[in-house]
mmCIF file of all heavy atoms in Angstrom:
data_model
loop_
_atom_site.group_PDB
_atom_site.id
_atom_site.type_symbol
_atom_site.label_atom_id
_atom_site.label_comp_id
_atom_site.label_asym_id
_atom_site.label_seq_id
_atom_site.Cartn_x
_atom_site.Cartn_y
_atom_site.Cartn_z
ATOM 1 N N ASP A 271 21.156 47.153 195.990
ATOM 2 C CA ASP A 271 19.747 46.805 196.090
ATOM 3 C C ASP A 271 19.397 46.290 197.477
ATOM 4 O O ASP A 271 18.235 46.316 197.888
ATOM 5 C CB ASP A 271 19.383 45.725 195.058
ATOM 6 C CG ASP A 271 19.390 46.265 193.631
ATOM 7 O OD1 ASP A 271 19.473 47.496 193.484
ATOM 8 O OD2 ASP A 271 19.291 45.470 192.691
ATOM 9 N N ASP A 272 20.392 45.789 198.219
ATOM 10 C CA ASP A 272 20.132 45.298 199.567
ATOM 11 C C ASP A 272 19.774 46.429 200.524
ATOM 12 O O ASP A 272 19.083 46.214 201.516
ATOM 13 C CB ASP A 272 21.358 44.544 200.102
ATOM 14 C CG ASP A 272 21.544 43.199 199.420
ATOM 15 O OD1 ASP A 272 20.537 42.514 199.200
ATOM 16 O OD2 ASP A 272 22.690 42.844 199.106
ATOM 17 N N VAL A 273 20.279 47.606 200.240
ATOM 18 C CA VAL A 273 20.043 48.730 201.164
ATOM 19 C C VAL A 273 19.247 49.861 200.524
ATOM 20 O O VAL A 273 18.808 50.770 201.223
ATOM 21 C CB VAL A 273 21.391 49.280 201.691
ATOM 22 C CG1 VAL A 273 22.079 48.223 202.550
ATOM 23 C CG2 VAL A 273 22.299 49.705 200.553
ATOM 24 N N THR A 274 19.060 49.812 199.207
ATOM 25 C CA THR A 274 18.292 50.849 198.513
ATOM 26 C C THR A 274 16.950 50.267 198.079
ATOM 27 O O THR A 274 16.904 49.406 197.199
ATOM 28 C CB THR A 274 19.055 51.362 197.276
ATOM 29 O OG1 THR A 274 20.342 51.821 197.679
ATOM 30 C CG2 THR A 274 18.291 52.499 196.612
ATOM 31 N N PRO A 275 15.866 50.714 198.661
ATOM 32 C CA PRO A 275 14.564 50.096 198.391
ATOM 33 C C PRO A 275 13.914 50.625 197.110
ATOM 34 O O PRO A 275 12.867 51.279 197.135
ATOM 35 C CB PRO A 275 13.747 50.462 199.627
ATOM 36 C CG PRO A 275 14.314 51.777 200.057
ATOM 37 C CD PRO A 275 15.785 51.727 199.741
ATOM 38 N N VAL A 276 14.556 50.355 195.972
ATOM 39 C CA VAL A 276 14.013 50.738 194.664
ATOM 40 C C VAL A 276 13.716 49.453 193.897
ATOM 41 O O VAL A 276 14.635 48.698 193.563
ATOM 42 C CB VAL A 276 14.980 51.628 193.871
ATOM 43 C CG1 VAL A 276 14.417 51.946 192.490
ATOM 44 C CG2 VAL A 276 15.258 52.923 194.634
ATOM 45 N N TYR A 277 12.461 49.216 193.629
ATOM 46 C CA TYR A 277 11.991 47.990 192.992
ATOM 47 C C TYR A 277 11.659 48.278 191.528
ATOM 48 O O TYR A 277 10.779 49.095 191.231
ATOM 49 C CB TYR A 277 10.740 47.458 193.705
ATOM 50 C CG TYR A 277 10.944 47.099 195.152
ATOM 51 C CD1 TYR A 277 11.154 48.091 196.120
ATOM 52 C CD2 TYR A 277 10.929 45.775 195.566
ATOM 53 C CE1 TYR A 277 11.344 47.761 197.461
ATOM 54 C CE2 TYR A 277 11.122 45.436 196.905
ATOM 55 C CZ TYR A 277 11.327 46.439 197.835
ATOM 56 O OH TYR A 277 11.507 46.112 199.159
ATOM 57 N N ARG A 278 12.353 47.600 190.625
ATOM 58 C CA ARG A 278 12.105 47.786 189.193
ATOM 59 C C ARG A 278 11.026 46.817 188.725
ATOM 60 O O ARG A 278 11.075 45.628 189.048
ATOM 61 C CB ARG A 278 13.388 47.557 188.396
ATOM 62 C CG ARG A 278 14.475 48.596 188.635
ATOM 63 C CD ARG A 278 15.754 48.237 187.903
ATOM 64 N NE ARG A 278 16.786 49.233 188.124
ATOM 65 C CZ ARG A 278 17.048 50.258 187.300
ATOM 66 N NH1 ARG A 278 16.344 50.384 186.179
ATOM 67 N NH2 ARG A 278 17.999 51.115 187.561
ATOM 68 N N VAL A 279 10.099 47.326 187.916
ATOM 69 C CA VAL A 279 9.051 46.472 187.365
ATOM 70 C C VAL A 279 8.891 46.762 185.878
ATOM 71 O O VAL A 279 9.348 47.784 185.365
ATOM 72 C CB VAL A 279 7.700 46.679 188.090
ATOM 73 C CG1 VAL A 279 7.776 46.228 189.536
ATOM 74 C CG2 VAL A 279 7.254 48.135 188.013
ATOM 75 N N GLY A 280 8.233 45.838 185.167
ATOM 76 C CA GLY A 280 8.001 46.032 183.741
ATOM 77 C C GLY A 280 9.295 46.097 182.970
ATOM 78 O O GLY A 280 10.249 45.351 183.232
ATOM 79 N N ASP A 281 9.360 47.013 182.019
ATOM 80 C CA ASP A 281 10.541 47.133 181.164
ATOM 81 C C ASP A 281 11.763 47.617 181.921
ATOM 82 O O ASP A 281 12.885 47.518 181.409
ATOM 83 C CB ASP A 281 10.264 48.090 180.000
ATOM 84 C CG ASP A 281 9.405 47.452 178.925
ATOM 85 O OD1 ASP A 281 9.371 46.214 178.851
ATOM 86 O OD2 ASP A 281 8.761 48.193 178.158
ATOM 87 N N GLN A 282 11.603 48.138 183.115
ATOM 88 C CA GLN A 282 12.765 48.500 183.910
ATOM 89 C C GLN A 282 13.441 47.275 184.516
ATOM 90 O O GLN A 282 14.578 47.349 184.954
ATOM 91 C CB GLN A 282 12.359 49.472 185.024
ATOM 92 C CG GLN A 282 12.137 50.890 184.547
ATOM 93 C CD GLN A 282 13.419 51.540 184.059
ATOM 94 O OE1 GLN A 282 14.445 51.486 184.725
ATOM 95 N NE2 GLN A 282 13.367 52.162 182.892
ATOM 96 N N LEU A 283 12.742 46.152 184.502
ATOM 97 C CA LEU A 283 13.283 44.911 185.023
ATOM 98 C C LEU A 283 13.713 43.967 183.903
ATOM 99 O O LEU A 283 14.787 43.351 183.973
ATOM 100 C CB LEU A 283 12.248 44.225 185.905
ATOM 101 C CG LEU A 283 12.652 42.880 186.508
ATOM 102 C CD1 LEU A 283 13.781 43.047 187.508
ATOM 103 C CD2 LEU A 283 11.449 42.229 187.179
ATOM 104 N N ALA A 284 12.887 43.843 182.874
ATOM 105 C CA ALA A 284 13.183 42.922 181.767
ATOM 106 C C ALA A 284 12.459 43.407 180.527
ATOM 107 O O ALA A 284 11.311 43.867 180.613
ATOM 108 C CB ALA A 284 12.738 41.503 182.116
ATOM 109 N N VAL A 285 13.129 43.295 179.374
ATOM 110 C CA VAL A 285 12.531 43.728 178.105
ATOM 111 C C VAL A 285 12.604 42.556 177.124
ATOM 112 O O VAL A 285 13.676 42.189 176.662
ATOM 113 C CB VAL A 285 13.255 44.955 177.508
ATOM 114 C CG1 VAL A 285 12.537 45.411 176.241
ATOM 115 C CG2 VAL A 285 13.310 46.086 178.533
ATOM 116 N N ILE A 286 11.455 41.986 176.824
ATOM 117 C CA ILE A 286 11.404 40.869 175.900
ATOM 118 C C ILE A 286 11.135 41.390 174.498
ATOM 119 O O ILE A 286 10.405 42.375 174.335
ATOM 120 C CB ILE A 286 10.312 39.855 176.333
ATOM 121 C CG1 ILE A 286 10.471 38.530 175.582
ATOM 122 C CG2 ILE A 286 8.910 40.427 176.149
ATOM 123 C CD1 ILE A 286 9.676 37.385 176.196
ATOM 124 N N PRO A 287 11.748 40.809 173.452
ATOM 125 C CA PRO A 287 11.466 41.261 172.089
ATOM 126 C C PRO A 287 9.968 41.308 171.799
ATOM 127 O O PRO A 287 9.207 40.429 172.206
ATOM 128 C CB PRO A 287 12.189 40.222 171.230
ATOM 129 C CG PRO A 287 13.373 39.843 172.060
ATOM 130 C CD PRO A 287 12.843 39.817 173.475
ATOM 131 N N SER A 288 9.575 42.319 171.068
ATOM 132 C CA SER A 288 8.159 42.659 170.919
ATOM 133 C C SER A 288 7.341 41.593 170.209
ATOM 134 O O SER A 288 6.130 41.498 170.431
ATOM 135 C CB SER A 288 8.033 43.978 170.158
ATOM 136 O OG SER A 288 8.805 44.979 170.763
ATOM 137 N N PHE A 289 7.977 40.786 169.331
ATOM 138 C CA PHE A 289 7.199 39.851 168.528
ATOM 139 C C PHE A 289 6.470 38.826 169.387
ATOM 140 O O PHE A 289 5.483 38.228 168.957
ATOM 141 C CB PHE A 289 8.103 39.127 167.515
ATOM 142 C CG PHE A 289 8.906 38.005 168.104
ATOM 143 C CD1 PHE A 289 8.407 36.707 168.146
ATOM 144 C CD2 PHE A 289 10.172 38.238 168.632
ATOM 145 C CE1 PHE A 289 9.141 35.672 168.710
ATOM 146 C CE2 PHE A 289 10.908 37.204 169.183
ATOM 147 C CZ PHE A 289 10.391 35.922 169.233
ATOM 148 N N THR A 290 6.914 38.591 170.624
ATOM 149 C CA THR A 290 6.287 37.591 171.482
ATOM 150 C C THR A 290 4.908 38.035 171.967
ATOM 151 O O THR A 290 4.090 37.200 172.353
ATOM 152 C CB THR A 290 7.143 37.312 172.724
ATOM 153 O OG1 THR A 290 7.240 38.520 173.509
ATOM 154 C CG2 THR A 290 8.538 36.848 172.335
ATOM 155 N N GLY A 291 4.667 39.342 171.996
ATOM 156 C CA GLY A 291 3.405 39.841 172.539
ATOM 157 C C GLY A 291 3.296 39.646 174.040
ATOM 158 O O GLY A 291 2.192 39.668 174.589
ATOM 159 N N ASP A 292 4.420 39.463 174.716
ATOM 160 C CA ASP A 292 4.395 39.159 176.142
ATOM 161 C C ASP A 292 4.810 40.332 177.013
ATOM 162 O O ASP A 292 4.860 40.210 178.228
ATOM 163 C CB ASP A 292 5.327 37.971 176.431
ATOM 164 C CG ASP A 292 4.858 37.149 177.624
ATOM 165 O OD1 ASP A 292 3.645 37.107 177.864
ATOM 166 O OD2 ASP A 292 5.708 36.562 178.301
ATOM 167 N N GLY A 293 5.089 41.471 176.402
ATOM 168 C CA GLY A 293 5.567 42.605 177.186
ATOM 169 C C GLY A 293 4.577 43.079 178.223
ATOM 170 O O GLY A 293 4.931 43.369 179.372
ATOM 171 N N MET A 294 3.288 43.150 177.845
ATOM 172 C CA MET A 294 2.293 43.623 178.801
ATOM 173 C C MET A 294 2.107 42.620 179.938
ATOM 174 O O MET A 294 1.938 43.001 181.103
ATOM 175 C CB MET A 294 0.972 43.895 178.083
ATOM 176 C CG MET A 294 0.133 44.968 178.743
ATOM 177 S SD MET A 294 -1.318 45.397 177.782
ATOM 178 C CE MET A 294 -0.565 46.058 176.301
ATOM 179 N N ALA A 295 2.135 41.328 179.602
ATOM 180 C CA ALA A 295 2.008 40.311 180.643
ATOM 181 C C ALA A 295 3.173 40.383 181.620
ATOM 182 O O ALA A 295 2.984 40.258 182.833
ATOM 183 C CB ALA A 295 1.932 38.925 180.013
ATOM 184 N N MET A 296 4.377 40.602 181.098
ATOM 185 C CA MET A 296 5.534 40.717 181.986
ATOM 186 C C MET A 296 5.424 41.944 182.886
ATOM 187 O O MET A 296 5.804 41.907 184.056
ATOM 188 C CB MET A 296 6.826 40.746 181.180
ATOM 189 C CG MET A 296 7.242 39.388 180.663
ATOM 190 S SD MET A 296 8.962 39.381 180.089
ATOM 191 C CE MET A 296 9.182 37.618 179.797
ATOM 192 N N ALA A 297 4.911 43.029 182.342
ATOM 193 C CA ALA A 297 4.718 44.231 183.159
ATOM 194 C C ALA A 297 3.775 43.941 184.312
ATOM 195 O O ALA A 297 4.052 44.277 185.475
ATOM 196 C CB ALA A 297 4.191 45.361 182.298
ATOM 197 N N LEU A 298 2.655 43.299 184.019
ATOM 198 C CA LEU A 298 1.657 43.033 185.044
ATOM 199 C C LEU A 298 2.126 41.958 186.022
ATOM 200 O O LEU A 298 1.841 42.035 187.225
ATOM 201 C CB LEU A 298 0.342 42.622 184.384
ATOM 202 C CG LEU A 298 -0.321 43.716 183.534
ATOM 203 C CD1 LEU A 298 -1.453 43.140 182.701
ATOM 204 C CD2 LEU A 298 -0.833 44.856 184.409
ATOM 205 N N HIS A 299 2.851 40.971 185.520
ATOM 206 C CA HIS A 299 3.319 39.895 186.398
ATOM 207 C C HIS A 299 4.404 40.401 187.345
ATOM 208 O O HIS A 299 4.383 40.074 188.545
ATOM 209 C CB HIS A 299 3.851 38.732 185.565
ATOM 210 C CG HIS A 299 4.014 37.472 186.359
ATOM 211 N ND1 HIS A 299 2.947 36.717 186.780
ATOM 212 C CD2 HIS A 299 5.130 36.838 186.818
ATOM 213 C CE1 HIS A 299 3.388 35.662 187.462
ATOM 214 N NE2 HIS A 299 4.711 35.714 187.502
ATOM 215 N N THR A 300 5.341 41.191 186.838
ATOM 216 C CA THR A 300 6.377 41.725 187.734
ATOM 217 C C THR A 300 5.775 42.709 188.726
ATOM 218 O O THR A 300 6.256 42.824 189.854
ATOM 219 C CB THR A 300 7.510 42.391 186.943
ATOM 220 O OG1 THR A 300 6.974 43.419 186.085
ATOM 221 C CG2 THR A 300 8.247 41.369 186.083
ATOM 222 N N ALA A 301 4.717 43.410 188.321
ATOM 223 C CA ALA A 301 4.025 44.289 189.267
ATOM 224 C C ALA A 301 3.428 43.485 190.413
ATOM 225 O O ALA A 301 3.523 43.870 191.587
ATOM 226 C CB ALA A 301 2.925 45.066 188.541
ATOM 227 N N SER A 302 2.838 42.347 190.090
ATOM 228 C CA SER A 302 2.260 41.490 191.127
ATOM 229 C C SER A 302 3.341 40.949 192.059
ATOM 230 O O SER A 302 3.180 40.944 193.289
ATOM 231 C CB SER A 302 1.509 40.330 190.457
ATOM 232 O OG SER A 302 0.975 39.452 191.417
ATOM 233 N N LEU A 303 4.471 40.512 191.483
ATOM 234 C CA LEU A 303 5.566 40.005 192.307
ATOM 235 C C LEU A 303 6.136 41.096 193.215
ATOM 236 O O LEU A 303 6.464 40.850 194.382
ATOM 237 C CB LEU A 303 6.672 39.449 191.414
ATOM 238 C CG LEU A 303 6.357 38.182 190.607
ATOM 239 C CD1 LEU A 303 7.525 37.847 189.688
ATOM 240 C CD2 LEU A 303 6.040 37.013 191.524
ATOM 241 N N ALA A 304 6.274 42.310 192.667
ATOM 242 C CA ALA A 304 6.819 43.410 193.466
ATOM 243 C C ALA A 304 5.882 43.764 194.615
ATOM 244 O O ALA A 304 6.332 44.014 195.742
ATOM 245 C CB ALA A 304 7.066 44.626 192.583
ATOM 246 N N ALA A 305 4.590 43.807 194.331
ATOM 247 C CA ALA A 305 3.626 44.115 195.393
ATOM 248 C C ALA A 305 3.701 43.067 196.501
ATOM 249 O O ALA A 305 3.704 43.402 197.697
ATOM 250 C CB ALA A 305 2.220 44.195 194.806
ATOM 251 N N ASP A 306 3.780 41.796 196.113
ATOM 252 C CA ASP A 306 3.895 40.729 197.120
ATOM 253 C C ASP A 306 5.173 40.882 197.938
ATOM 254 O O ASP A 306 5.163 40.700 199.162
ATOM 255 C CB ASP A 306 3.889 39.359 196.430
ATOM 256 C CG ASP A 306 2.531 38.983 195.861
ATOM 257 O OD1 ASP A 306 1.532 39.622 196.240
ATOM 258 O OD2 ASP A 306 2.470 38.050 195.040
ATOM 259 N N ALA A 307 6.280 41.220 197.261
ATOM 260 C CA ALA A 307 7.555 41.378 197.967
ATOM 261 C C ALA A 307 7.490 42.537 198.956
ATOM 262 O O ALA A 307 7.973 42.430 200.091
ATOM 263 C CB ALA A 307 8.682 41.593 196.957
ATOM 264 N N ILE A 308 6.913 43.647 198.532
ATOM 265 C CA ILE A 308 6.823 44.821 199.413
ATOM 266 C C ILE A 308 5.935 44.523 200.614
ATOM 267 O O ILE A 308 6.268 44.853 201.761
ATOM 268 C CB ILE A 308 6.318 46.038 198.617
ATOM 269 C CG1 ILE A 308 7.404 46.498 197.633
ATOM 270 C CG2 ILE A 308 5.916 47.174 199.547
ATOM 271 C CD1 ILE A 308 6.932 47.529 196.630
ATOM 272 N N LEU A 309 4.803 43.872 200.373
ATOM 273 C CA LEU A 309 3.896 43.540 201.474
ATOM 274 C C LEU A 309 4.548 42.576 202.460
ATOM 275 O O LEU A 309 4.258 42.610 203.660
ATOM 276 C CB LEU A 309 2.603 42.949 200.926
ATOM 277 C CG LEU A 309 1.697 43.919 200.155
ATOM 278 C CD1 LEU A 309 0.542 43.179 199.499
ATOM 279 C CD2 LEU A 309 1.169 45.014 201.091
ATOM 280 N N ALA A 310 5.430 41.718 201.949
ATOM 281 C CA ALA A 310 6.125 40.758 202.815
ATOM 282 C C ALA A 310 7.384 41.349 203.451
ATOM 283 O O ALA A 310 8.052 40.668 204.247
ATOM 284 C CB ALA A 310 6.487 39.506 202.011
ATOM 285 N N GLY A 311 7.738 42.601 203.089
ATOM 286 C CA GLY A 311 8.920 43.239 203.651
ATOM 287 C C GLY A 311 10.227 42.739 203.079
ATOM 288 O O GLY A 311 11.283 42.905 203.698
ATOM 289 N N ARG A 312 10.181 42.152 201.862
ATOM 290 C CA ARG A 312 11.401 41.632 201.249
ATOM 291 C C ARG A 312 12.165 42.752 200.555
ATOM 292 O O ARG A 312 11.588 43.721 200.071
ATOM 293 C CB ARG A 312 11.054 40.524 200.249
ATOM 294 C CG ARG A 312 10.513 39.270 200.909
ATOM 295 C CD ARG A 312 9.997 38.291 199.881
ATOM 296 N NE ARG A 312 10.975 38.114 198.818
ATOM 297 C CZ ARG A 312 10.639 37.859 197.558
ATOM 298 N NH1 ARG A 312 9.373 37.787 197.199
ATOM 299 N NH2 ARG A 312 11.581 37.690 196.661
ATOM 300 N N SER A 313 13.484 42.586 200.474
ATOM 301 C CA SER A 313 14.339 43.610 199.880
ATOM 302 C C SER A 313 14.175 43.660 198.374
ATOM 303 O O SER A 313 13.696 42.708 197.735
ATOM 304 C CB SER A 313 15.809 43.327 200.208
ATOM 305 O OG SER A 313 16.252 42.170 199.498
ATOM 306 N N ALA A 314 14.605 44.769 197.794
ATOM 307 C CA ALA A 314 14.607 44.901 196.338
ATOM 308 C C ALA A 314 15.514 43.852 195.708
ATOM 309 O O ALA A 314 15.191 43.280 194.661
ATOM 310 C CB ALA A 314 15.045 46.308 195.937
ATOM 311 N N ALA A 315 16.653 43.580 196.343
ATOM 312 C CA ALA A 315 17.585 42.594 195.801
ATOM 313 C C ALA A 315 16.938 41.225 195.723
ATOM 314 O O ALA A 315 17.080 40.499 194.730
ATOM 315 C CB ALA A 315 18.846 42.539 196.655
ATOM 316 N N SER A 316 16.233 40.836 196.773
ATOM 317 C CA SER A 316 15.559 39.538 196.792
ATOM 318 C C SER A 316 14.498 39.464 195.708
ATOM 319 O O SER A 316 14.391 38.463 194.994
ATOM 320 C CB SER A 316 14.930 39.310 198.167
ATOM 321 O OG SER A 316 14.104 38.168 198.153
ATOM 322 N N PHE A 317 13.714 40.523 195.574
ATOM 323 C CA PHE A 317 12.685 40.561 194.534
ATOM 324 C C PHE A 317 13.289 40.483 193.143
ATOM 325 O O PHE A 317 12.841 39.704 192.288
ATOM 326 C CB PHE A 317 11.854 41.834 194.670
ATOM 327 C CG PHE A 317 11.155 42.227 193.402
ATOM 328 C CD1 PHE A 317 10.133 41.450 192.881
ATOM 329 C CD2 PHE A 317 11.549 43.366 192.718
ATOM 330 C CE1 PHE A 317 9.505 41.804 191.685
ATOM 331 C CE2 PHE A 317 10.930 43.727 191.531
ATOM 332 C CZ PHE A 317 9.905 42.950 191.008
#
Side-chain angles (χ1 to χ4, degrees):
D271 289 349
D272 288 319
V273 294
T274 304
V276 177
Y277 299 70
R278 293 175 180 265
V279 294
D281 284 338
Q282 283 294 312
L283 179 67
V285 184
I286 194 165
S288 307
F289 79 90
T290 63
D292 210 30
M294 208 174 297
M296 283 195 172
L298 295 168
H299 195 73
T300 56
S302 178
L303 292 175
D306 289 345
I308 290 170
L309 291 172
R312 292 172 48 212
S313 70
S316 171
F317 158 67

